[in-house]
């Protein structure tokens, strides 16, 4: 026994592992294993396997483009929709996977001590890997569209990592909040399903802000509200990174909206830590 | 305190766990909103209360008690999966819980992938698993199935792989909750071997079991838990005896029945081992004495005392009486004791139930019959396997004349 022995100290404030707490090598290895499990199990047994991670957002984008062309006509760029749908899918998967990350592992949570926070973090991590791979497809599609007379790729590409990071911060915050909430209130799942579809329509996923701006005339409260939805800033930023002629306006309200992910992550961690004390009792 | 605790593997101070009984339904958001502003008294109960103990490193402690007494809560608290309501528990060293084998196995992943995943969850460095991988597979006996998704495994294979990972992880503290009653007999024996091995290497074991003979055989100390309190702790034999006397059999969780006219009654029974001392766990191949005290309200001529032994799951092993055994009793009146001896005891390790009866010589009159009345456990120290212990003798045959 040359190293300091690990201990688990359990008090009404929760169980803690000492020394090192959360940031140890063992935790990193466990996180890597959980991410790998998440990715492996998702596509095992399916014919296309990992390709689904790329095909799903592509199909979604295709469907949206077709319908929008039918309903709205011209006005929204195909490229804009593709970028929007890919990023939106990332958030949706984190919300859905994160929400059930504790309840679907109830066996584990009730029987073995390990940092529970790793479960929603692993879901987010696995979806991040998926998202990064889907970005390759996204660029390929944009390039093909560009070669056939589309917008092509351009914009503040250098800022893309920052946008991905910020989107991940937002998604992780949501996953943490919902993971804890779903253990304590099982109707979270149903509520979130409804809210997600409402959120889809109020976020500029299959439209961009040029479509909203006409409505804002004479309604000074509308644009601040739109910008306070963090998804507005994130999607616009994602488009500004890869598409020419899209800009993220830095106004008071867009900045406020883009601060929300950080606040949400902070709240998510705090809420999760409180909620996890009762996981074993409620599962 | 500080000096002592350096030696202790597990320290609990005023540990308690209270549950609020929310009824059958899962908690819902709307339910909480509906309750908001109203104070609905929520019934609560203490699964464990005021538990304070220290378990020194290298010791094996058994936890026994009736169902629902708080045994599993105690283990969950030590494992860190259940958050205490009050108090504090510290477990020093790497803990591995065999609370549920194969918890965390993913059905779609192969055995190999699951071994690494499960090990990571148990906090074993990846490098160590890689080194021990062959031994894990060997122990589980799953070499040809290791690259198959575990959803195709039988439940026995599942459990074997789970145990193999846990046992090969060489934890400092091992928590075992009634999981050794799975798998085939050969695997169970290997598990017990493994546990002995861990004991030899100075590991700390805390284990919950209803197999009293295993508890007596393995543990240095036994905690008796009842209604959330540790009501007794000490040497295995007397603590197990107290458990059997107070919480099993009559008034305990076992369903016992009584019949008869009660003109003559079985007033009490004492089980004694070969040394004549009262015991709750008897030994295979040694003598077992059953002292039956009786009470007769009037003179009864030629009564018959009978007994039957069943296994814990109701299979009748043997039954006889004074009539069949050729030991007729002339008459009884007042009070007295009769001794039944089983020498050598042919039962193998396990939990058993003793039934006793008094009836008339012609079986027409049942005076008193206590069915499944008195529980006891048997431990096998002979090392001989099988269904029964047969008394044997080996010798050189007399030299045959040629």
């Amino acid at each position: 026994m040359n190293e300091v022995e690990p201990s688990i100290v359990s008090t009404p404030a929760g169980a803690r592992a000492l020394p090192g707490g959360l940031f140890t090598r063992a935790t990193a290895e466990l996180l890597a294993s959980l991410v790998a499990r998440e990715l492996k199990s998702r596509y095992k047994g399916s014919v296309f396997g990992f390709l689904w991670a790329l095909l799903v957002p592509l199909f979604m984008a295709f469907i949206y483009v077709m319908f929008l062309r039918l309903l709205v006509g011209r006005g929204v760029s195909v490229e804009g929709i593709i970028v929007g749908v890919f990023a939106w899918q990332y958030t949706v998967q984190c919300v859905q996977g994160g929400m059930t990350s504790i309840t679907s592992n109830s066996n584990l949570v009730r029987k073995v001590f390990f940092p529970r926070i790793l479960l929603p973090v692993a879901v987010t991590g696995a979806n991040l890997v998926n998202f990064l791979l889907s970005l390759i497809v996204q660029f390929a599609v944009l390039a093909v569209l560009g070669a056939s007379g589309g917008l092509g790729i351009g914009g503040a590409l250098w800022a893309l990592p920052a946008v991905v990071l910020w989107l991940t911060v937002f998604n992780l915050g949501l996953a943490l909040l919902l993971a804890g909430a779903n253990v304590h209130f099982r109707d979270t799942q149903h509520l979130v399903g409804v809210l997600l579809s409402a959120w889809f329509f109020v976020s500029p996923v299959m439209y961009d802000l040029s479509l909203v701006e006409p409505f804002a005339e004479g309604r000074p409260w509308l644009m601040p509200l739109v910008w306070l939805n963090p998804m507005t800033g994130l999607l616009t930023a994602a488009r500004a990174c890869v598409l020419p002629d899209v800009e993220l306006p830095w106004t008071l309200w867009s900045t406020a909206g883009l601060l929300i992910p950080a606040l949400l992550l902070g709240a998510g961690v705090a809420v999760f830590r409180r909620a996890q004390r009762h996981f074993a009792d409620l599962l | 305190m500080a000096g002592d605790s350096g030696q202790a593997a597990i320290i609990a101070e005023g540990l308690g766990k209270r549950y609020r009984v929310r009824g059958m339904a899962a908690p819902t958001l709307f339910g909480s909103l509906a309750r908001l502003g109203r104070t609905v008294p929520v019934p609560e109960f203490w699964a464990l209360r005021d538990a304070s103990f220290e378990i020194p490193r290298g010791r094996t402690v058994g936890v026994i008690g009736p169902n629902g007494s708080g045994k599993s809560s105690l283990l969950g608290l030590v494992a860190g999966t259940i958050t205490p309501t009050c108090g504090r528990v510290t477990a020093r060293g790497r803990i591995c819980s065999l609370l549920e084998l194969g918890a965390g196995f993913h059905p779609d992943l192969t055995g190999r992938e699951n071994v690494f995943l499960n090990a990571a969850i148990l906090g074993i460095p990846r490098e160590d698993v890689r080194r021990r991988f062959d031994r894990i597979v060997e122990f589980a006996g799953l070499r040809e199935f290791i690259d198959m998704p575990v959803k195709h495994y039988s439940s026995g294979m599942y459990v074997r792989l789970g145990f193999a990972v846990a046992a090969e992880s060489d934890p400092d503290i091992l928590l075992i909750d009634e999981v050794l009653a799975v798998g085939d007999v050969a695997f169970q024996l290997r598990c017990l071997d493994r546990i002995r091995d861990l004991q030899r290497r100075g590991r700390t074991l805390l284990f919950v079991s209803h197999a009293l003979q295993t508890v007596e055989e393995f543990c240095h100390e036994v905690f008796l838990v009842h209604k959330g309190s540790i009501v007794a702790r000490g040497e295995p034999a007397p603590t197990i005896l107290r458990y059997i006397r107070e919480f099993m059999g009559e008034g305990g969780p076992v369903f016992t029945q009584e019949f008869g006219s009660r003109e003559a009654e079985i007033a009490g029974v004492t089980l004694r081992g070969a040394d004549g001392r009262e015991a709750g766990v008897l030994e295979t191949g040694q003598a077992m004495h059953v002292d039956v005290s009786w009470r007769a309200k009037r003179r009864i001529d030629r009564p018959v005392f009978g007994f039957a032994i069943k296994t814990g799951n109701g299979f009748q092993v043997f039954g006889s009486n004074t009539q069949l055994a050729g030991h007729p009793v002339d008459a009884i009146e007042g009070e007295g004791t009769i001794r039944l001896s089983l020498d050598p005891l042919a039962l193998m390790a396990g939990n058993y139930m003793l039934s006793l009866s008094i009836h008339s010589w012609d079986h027409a009159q049942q005076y008193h019959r206590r069915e499944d009345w008195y529980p006891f456990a048997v431990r096998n120290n002979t090392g001989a396997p099988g269904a029964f212990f047969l008394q044997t003798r080996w010798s050189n045959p007399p030299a045959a004349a040629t």
Side-chain angles (χ1 to χ4, degrees):
Chain A
M1 300 264 158
N2 40 12
E3 52 186 319
V4 191
E5 278 178 66
S7 299
I8 296 178
V9 181
S10 215
T11 61
R16 272 178 310 135
L18 298 171
L22 200 55
F23 301 99
T24 60
R25 187 166 163 200
T27 319
E29 282 187 357
L30 175 53
L31 181 59
S33 299
L34 289 172
V35 169
R37 170 181 83 157
E38 198 67 35
L39 288 170
K40 276 183 198 160
S41 64
R42 196 176 298 176
Y43 302 112
K44 250 200 179 155
S46 61
V47 180
F48 286 112
F50 217 76
L51 275 180
W52 280 115
L54 319 173
L55 290 175
V56 170
L58 208 58
F59 285 152
M60 299 294 272
F62 181 73
I63 294 167
Y64 293 144
V65 168
M66 292 305 290
F67 269 85
L68 282 173
R69 280 286 149 86
L70 276 175
L71 294 174
V72 192
R74 301 256 157 209
V76 187
S77 73
V78 177
E79 289 85 349
I81 293 175
I82 289 175
V83 174
V85 168
F86 274 61
W88 172 255
Q89 278 295 309
Y90 176 29
T91 299
V92 167
Q93 282 179 341
C94 287
V95 164
Q96 287 173 340
M99 178 169 59
T100 53
S101 60
I102 302 296
T103 44
S104 63
N105 285 299
S106 61
N107 224 351
L108 210 54
V109 172
R110 276 183 303 148
K111 303 294 180 185
V112 191
F113 173 80
F114 64 95
R116 276 93 179 81
I117 202 164
L118 293 182
L119 290 171
V121 172
V123 168
T124 311
N127 284 320
L128 174 61
V129 173
N130 260 348
F131 179 56
L132 291 176
L133 289 170
S134 75
L135 281 184
I136 298 170
V137 177
Q138 178 188 305
F139 278 115
V141 173
L142 292 182
V144 170
L145 287 174
S148 52
L151 288 173
I153 303 170
L157 264 177
W158 54 270
L160 188 61
V163 172
V164 172
L165 173 73
W166 211 236
L167 185 58
T168 305
V169 165
F170 182 56
N171 292 347
L172 183 57
L174 285 174
L176 288 172
L177 274 177
L178 293 171
N182 197 34
V183 178
H184 284 260
F185 307 107
R186 290 301 165 84
D187 28 16
T188 307
Q189 288 185 49
H190 308 288
L191 207 58
V192 165
V194 175
L195 290 179
L196 263 182
S197 45
W199 192 24
F200 173 74
F201 285 106
V202 300
S203 303
V205 181
M206 51 177 192
Y207 53 87
D208 57 33
L209 289 175
S210 60
L211 215 80
V212 188
E213 269 149 8
F215 291 98
E217 277 170 40
R219 299 189 184 91
W221 46 267
L222 185 63
M223 283 321 282
L225 219 56
V226 168
W227 280 110
L228 276 179
N229 171 7
M231 221 51 210
T232 306
L234 287 165
L235 290 173
T236 310
R239 283 173 184 146
C241 287
V242 292
L243 300 177
D245 74 19
V246 181
E247 293 243 341
L248 176 67
W250 288 98
T251 64
L252 174 68
W253 293 109
S254 70
T255 312
L258 281 173
L259 279 177
I260 289 180
L263 299 177
L264 201 75
L265 181 59
V269 171
V271 168
F272 189 88
R273 295 203 148 207
R274 272 191 71 83
Q276 68 176 350
R277 292 175 205 165
H278 302 292
F279 282 175
D281 307 349
L282 295 169
L283 284 170
Chain B
M1 185 76 197
D4 280 345
S5 54
Q7 294 300 309
I10 303 170
I11 308 164
E13 297 152 89
L15 197 60
K17 178 65 188 177
R18 180 185 60 204
Y19 284 102
R20 294 211 155 82
V21 186
R22 298 212 203 189
M24 302 300 282
T28 64
L29 183 59
F30 290 113
S32 313
L33 289 177
R35 274 197 305 275
L36 214 69
R38 280 185 292 152
T39 45
V40 183
V42 185
E44 50 181 49
F45 79 99
W46 288 84
L48 194 74
R49 196 161 203 178
D50 276 336
S52 295
F53 55 85
E54 273 191 30
I55 300 177
R57 182 168 297 161
R59 191 170 264 251
T60 302
V61 173
V63 183
I64 58 173
N67 287 333
S69 57
K71 303 186 295 288
S72 297
S73 296
L74 177 60
L75 251 61
L77 285 162
V78 172
T81 54
I82 301 178
T83 307
T85 308
C86 58
R88 171 192 179 89
V89 59
T90 308
R92 255 169 236 272
R94 207 167 55 69
I95 291 194
C96 183
S97 30
L98 297 188
L99 304 185
E100 194 164 299
L101 292 172
F105 276 6
H106 195 291
D108 285 328
L109 301 185
T110 64
R112 181 186 303 273
E113 289 166 330
N114 269 308
V115 166
F116 280 96
L117 177 64
N118 208 358
I121 290 165
L122 296 174
I124 307 160
R126 210 174 166 77
E127 201 39 54
D128 289 13
V129 190
R130 209 167 281 140
R131 224 177 28 243
R132 295 181 192 157
F133 187 76
D134 286 332
R135 284 191 9 222
I136 294 173
V137 178
E138 201 59 49
F139 187 79
L142 290 171
R143 182 153 300 284
E144 59 268 50
F145 304 110
I146 198 67
D147 286 309
M148 186 192 266
V150 298
K151 65 180 168 193
H152 300 308
Y153 281 21
S154 72
S155 54
M157 289 157 80
Y158 211 81
V159 165
R160 258 149 56 196
L161 193 60
F163 186 88
V165 176
E168 286 293 340
S169 76
D170 196 19
D172 299 308
I173 301 172
L174 189 65
L175 307 176
I176 306 169
D177 191 356
E178 202 66 89
V179 286
L180 296 178
V182 289
D184 51 36
V185 176
F187 186 72
Q188 276 183 34
L189 288 176
R190 261 194 296 167
C191 291
L192 294 178
D193 267 352
R194 199 71 225 200
I195 286 173
R196 255 180 230 112
D197 189 43
L198 287 168
Q199 283 183 319
R200 266 196 299 277
R201 281 188 284 153
R203 304 299 186 241
T204 310
L205 276 75
L206 185 62
F207 88 97
V208 165
S209 183
H210 287 290
L212 297 177
Q213 76 281 1
T214 315
V215 172
E216 169 149 356
E217 188 180 341
F218 280 96
C219 297
H220 303 114
E221 189 179 359
V222 171
F223 291 178
L224 171 54
V225 183
H226 179 56
K227 287 188 175 163
S229 301
I230 300 177
V231 293
R233 49 187 293 192
E235 294 275 310
T239 315
I240 289 172
L241 184 59
R242 180 165 166 194
Y243 169 50
I244 287 175
R245 275 209 195 138
E246 292 181 19
F247 301 112
M248 285 177 76
E250 205 174 24
V254 180
F255 184 65
T256 69
Q257 284 176 297
E258 257 185 287
F259 316 94
S261 65
R262 309 292 285 259
E263 286 159 278
E265 283 182 328
I266 296 155
V269 66
T270 309
L271 303 190
R272 296 181 194 281
D275 55 2
R277 280 209 298 215
E278 186 175 4
V281 180
L282 286 306
E283 279 188 35
T284 302
Q286 304 285 313
M288 167 182 175
H289 304 289
V290 183
D291 287 347
V292 183
S293 35
W294 49 263
R295 200 161 39 223
K297 289 180 185 139
R298 61 170 180 85
R299 183 186 162 88
I300 293 170
D301 287 316
R302 298 220 289 170
V304 177
F305 287 88
F307 80 99
I309 293 171
K310 288 184 196 167
T311 62
N313 40 23
F315 173 76
Q316 177 145 358
V317 181
F318 188 73
S320 182
N321 59 35
T322 49
Q323 193 179 38
L324 290 170
H327 179 81
V329 179
D330 285 341
I332 51 172
E333 191 171 9
E335 289 180 16
T337 306
I338 185 166
R339 170 172 283 196
L340 160 72
S341 293
L342 295 95
D343 188 12
L345 184 61
L347 301 172
M348 300 303 267
N351 290 333
Y352 295 91
M353 300 296 291
L354 179 67
S355 307
L356 291 165
S357 69
I358 311 177
H359 56 80
S360 63
W361 187 258
D362 57 2
H363 294 246
Q365 181 77 28
Q366 182 93 265
Y367 298 119
H368 196 191
R369 180 181 179 86
R370 306 189 93 156
E371 192 76 35
D372 295 341
W373 183 44
Y374 205 87
F376 65 97
V378 175
R379 177 169 64 161
N380 182 3
N381 279 349
T382 64
F388 292 102
F389 177 80
L390 304 179
Q391 188 156 33
T392 49
R393 197 159 52 86
W394 296 79
S395 60
N396 295 315
T402 43

